DNA sequence: GACCTTGTTGAATTTCGATTCAACAGCCAC
DNA sequence: GTGGCTGTTGAATCGAAATTCAACAAGGTC
């Protein structure tokens, strides 16, 4: 009846299930049974793989963070133009809408970080990595003469990540007028000022006409 | 033995107790008994005043927010110089350190806002009010010719509040090198750029020499 | 095809916090 | 002072979720 799975597979499933359950019920109000339900198992089975639920939740957060960061890196990996790179990175740091699971999970984490040192460390690491990512883009752009930085790259990078973070919270909290598009513009306003570049994304040479979308 | 208190007094006590308990144990993991303990009462007594704990928690959050905002307003109330006003406001929006109870409570709220519409509304209101506060300072400064705004005042104000928020989270999460002082400088870096003003706080005319502190 | 190992269930048990409530104590009115 | 509110306690009860565990099923191995 129930498909038995290998240890590794099941643990992967459980991490995903835990992510879903936490987004829905909250990092530290989620119940063992809710995780089990998301995984299509009973609480006993979950406990068999993770005797302590907290370990599972931590791994799930870790995985979520990692995925979030890797996705951003991947999105700009094969782009060379610093302007496009910067604009795209800003976009990729914001939730698409209030339901965005990845960002909601990060917000959950932020709330708990004041009390939970491990969660705090996790978030701090993510922040610093994102800062480095922006710093790299900025430095390269400056070296190419595309950007004229109005402050040192670390300052700018820290502020950019901070802005993303904060607007993520606002969007997830359903600010009535401040959506992803507005947030992008707000951050770009700063980015333009501080890079001395208008940041009008030069269009990507279209590979095939039908692959293009009208301005979303 | 136990000092009986009037309804109004006790409710005020309970709100304070709830605030402390939530900072310590988390908005949605705090136990009735933990609130009672903070208030020096039994759970029964708490229930007598607030049959539903959630009402108390909400009132406590509301009160905390209100206090936070009012304090900021008060701090700049009798200052006329826009530069000093702006710098002081930036400072007052950041936690003093990772233990800052007011900001920690707001972070808790932020984490829960993704799931709880009421909390979300509360935070959104606070955000908008803070934006207005900054906008006022910026507009007045611009009118006086002290600031030359590089973007419309709402954009700048929104970004300033966003930066405060985000650095609040970082500080509360104990970023190893990013403390309140660094955060102030980061935000000022943006503020200088966007106001065209060096924002060197002109010293307040000292009332008495001994009241001055060396640069903290 | 009997034998292990491993993952899973479901029901019994335990734990822990919320809830209820009868008794009681301080306070004010008269 | 006595009587009646009002706030508070502490013990009893209830309920929900975690935990335990004996039984069982699905694959793989020889």
């Amino acid at each position: 009846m129930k498909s038995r799975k290998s240890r590794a597979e099941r643990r992967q499933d459980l991490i995903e299930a835990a992510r879903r359950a936490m987004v829905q019920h909250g990092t530290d109000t989620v119940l063992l049974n809710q995780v089990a339900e998301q995984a299509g198992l009973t609480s006993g089975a979950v406990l068999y793989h993770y005797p302590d639920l907290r370990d599972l939740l931590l791994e799930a957060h870790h995985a979520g963070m990692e995925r979030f960061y890797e996705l951003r890196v991947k999105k700009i990996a094969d782009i060379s133009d610093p302007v496009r790179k910067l604009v795209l990175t800003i976009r990729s740091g914001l939730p698409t809408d209030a339901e965005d699971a990845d960002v909601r999970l990060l917000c959950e984490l932020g709330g708990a970080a004041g009390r939970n040192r491990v969660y705090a460390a996790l978030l701090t690491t993510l922040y610093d990595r994102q800062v480095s990512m922006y710093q790299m883009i900025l430095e390269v752009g400056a070296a190419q003469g595309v950007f004229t930085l109005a402050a040192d790259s670390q300052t700018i990078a820290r502020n950019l990540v901070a802005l993303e973070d904060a607007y993520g919270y606002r969007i997830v909290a359903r600010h009535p007028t401040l959506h992803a598009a507005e947030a992008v513009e707000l951050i770009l306003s700063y980015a333009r000022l501080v890079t001395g570049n208008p940041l009008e994304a030069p269009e990507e040479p279209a590979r095939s006409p039908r692959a293009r979308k009208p301005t979303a």
Side-chain angles (χ1 to χ4, degrees), chain A:
Chain A
M1 172 132 289
K2 266 293 154 49
S3 54
R4 260 170 64 103
K5 284 201 183 180
S6 73
R7 187 177 232 89
E9 266 183 304
R10 187 55 89 195
R11 282 175 71 100
Q12 208 48 49
D13 288 356
L14 284 175
I15 286 174
E16 271 314 301
R19 272 172 46 75
R20 285 195 299 277
M22 283 195 286
V23 168
Q24 210 174 126
H25 302 103
T27 304
D28 36 35
T29 37
V30 74
L31 303 182
L32 177 55
N33 277 319
Q34 295 169 332
V35 175
E37 187 187 358
Q38 285 294 327
L41 292 174
T42 47
S43 59
V46 177
L47 248 15
Y48 173 78
H49 293 283
Y50 288 92
D52 187 335
L53 180 63
R54 287 169 305 181
D55 293 340
L56 172 55
L57 299 185
L58 180 58
E59 280 195 34
H61 273 300
H62 200 308
M65 258 186 46
E66 215 58 46
R67 179 201 317 187
F68 178 74
Y69 179 73
E70 287 308 327
L71 188 63
R72 300 188 72 179
V73 169
K74 203 164 290 171
K75 273 190 182 156
I76 56 166
D78 54 353
I79 292 176
S80 54
D81 176 24
V83 170
R84 287 232 323 282
K85 220 161 174 154
L86 183 58
V87 174
L88 249 153
T89 304
I90 290 172
R91 286 226 181 83
S92 77
L94 291 166
T96 56
D97 57 32
E99 321 299 337
D100 189 300
D102 293 317
V103 176
R104 280 186 60 174
L105 206 55
L106 290 174
C107 291
E108 285 283 339
L109 212 49
R115 279 168 287 120
N116 185 323
R117 297 295 179 98
V118 182
Y119 286 168
L122 225 52
L123 266 186
T124 301
T125 302
L126 177 62
Y127 176 75
D128 287 343
R129 283 205 285 170
Q130 288 176 315
V131 169
S132 295
M133 183 176 67
Y134 270 114
Q135 249 186 301
M136 193 66 72
I137 299 171
L138 292 166
E139 295 280 3
V140 170
Q144 292 184 10
V146 182
F147 298 152
T148 310
L149 304 186
D152 64 303
S153 68
Q154 174 172 271
T155 297
I156 303 172
R158 282 181 159 181
N159 279 341
L160 286 173
V161 179
L163 287 170
E164 284 179 355
D165 279 8
Y167 289 126
Y169 277 100
R170 297 282 67 74
I171 292 167
V172 161
R174 302 168 193 276
H175 190 291
T177 62
L178 186 33
H179 310 103
E182 284 81 10
V184 170
E185 272 315 308
L186 287 164
I187 301 177
L188 279 178
S189 151
Y190 171 59
R192 290 192 184 104
L193 206 58
V194 83
T195 59
N197 185 301
L199 300 182
E200 304 294 355
E203 289 299 330
E204 182 176 6
R207 305 227 179 101
S208 91
R210 61 162 169 65
R212 306 295 303 286
K213 278 187 187 165
T215 327

